[in-house]
Amino acid sequence: MPLFTSRRWAYGALAWLIFFIVSHLALLFFPSGDLRTYTIFNVVLIAMSTAGAAVVVATVRPWARPLPRWLILTPLWFGSVLLVVRGVPGMVENLLMVTGVRRGGFVGAQDISTGEFWAGLAINTYFFVGAVLLVGATVSHVRRSVDPAE
């Protein structure tokens, strides 16, 4: 089962997290709405994602082997749950929108613009991909960390 023990999941999750960090850093330079709340929100997301990136890197680097297993797995599972909670309903919303069952998604209006439609699809797909990559990295690390042959 090399698919479930591949380190590529971690590198994919790392790429996703780096893109997320960079996009939220850019948002700090172009704020909208309440500046204080907006800045705090983005700083928290950047901090969480930076910690997540460090943990994902730790799953594939030799310097992290002496670390206790729980120290790596706890944030991996936490991040995985967060992204699944955000990504899976987003993908269901995408399916509702694309099939025409509900053009505006779960709570959106039926008469959304084309731009809003495609933006929603892109954002929801982005978070779903992040969920798949981080869950894959987590499962891969779990399987590799219990395999003494590695």
Side-chain angles (χ1 to χ4, degrees):
M1 285 196 206
L3 175 66
F4 297 111
T5 58
S6 175
R7 295 170 186 259
R8 291 181 183 180
W9 290 106
Y11 293 120
L14 178 62
W16 188 92
L17 284 161
I18 289 170
F19 183 80
F20 188 82
I21 292 166
V22 169
S23 66
H24 281 274
L25 282 171
L27 289 174
L28 284 177
F29 293 107
F30 303 103
S32 65
D34 179 19
L35 185 60
R36 184 177 187 195
T37 304
Y38 186 84
T39 302
I40 291 169
F41 176 72
N42 280 296
V43 167
V44 168
L45 288 177
I46 291 166
M48 287 174 57
S49 300
T50 302
V55 170
V56 167
V57 168
T59 67
V60 293
R61 303 307 306 158
W63 54 261
R65 284 194 187 121
L67 296 174
R69 190 168 184 251
W70 66 267
L71 191 62
I72 303 292
L73 286 177
T74 302
L76 279 176
W77 283 116
F78 180 75
S80 293
V81 168
L82 280 178
L83 281 175
V84 164
V85 166
R86 173 58 179 91
V88 172
M91 187 52 69
V92 171
E93 183 174 55
N94 282 355
L95 293 173
L96 291 174
M97 291 168 66
V98 168
T99 59
V101 172
R102 182 103 176 113
R103 182 162 161 78
F106 289 125
V107 294
Q110 289 292 328
D111 58 345
I112 63 173
S113 70
T114 302
E116 291 170 326
F117 176 78
W118 287 108
L121 281 167
I123 291 168
N124 290 334
T125 301
Y126 173 71
F127 279 101
F128 182 76
V129 168
V132 169
L133 290 170
L134 194 57
V135 167
T138 303
V139 170
S140 172
H141 177 68
V142 166
R143 293 191 176 198
R144 281 185 287 111
S145 65
V146 295
D147 185 11
E150 163 139 14

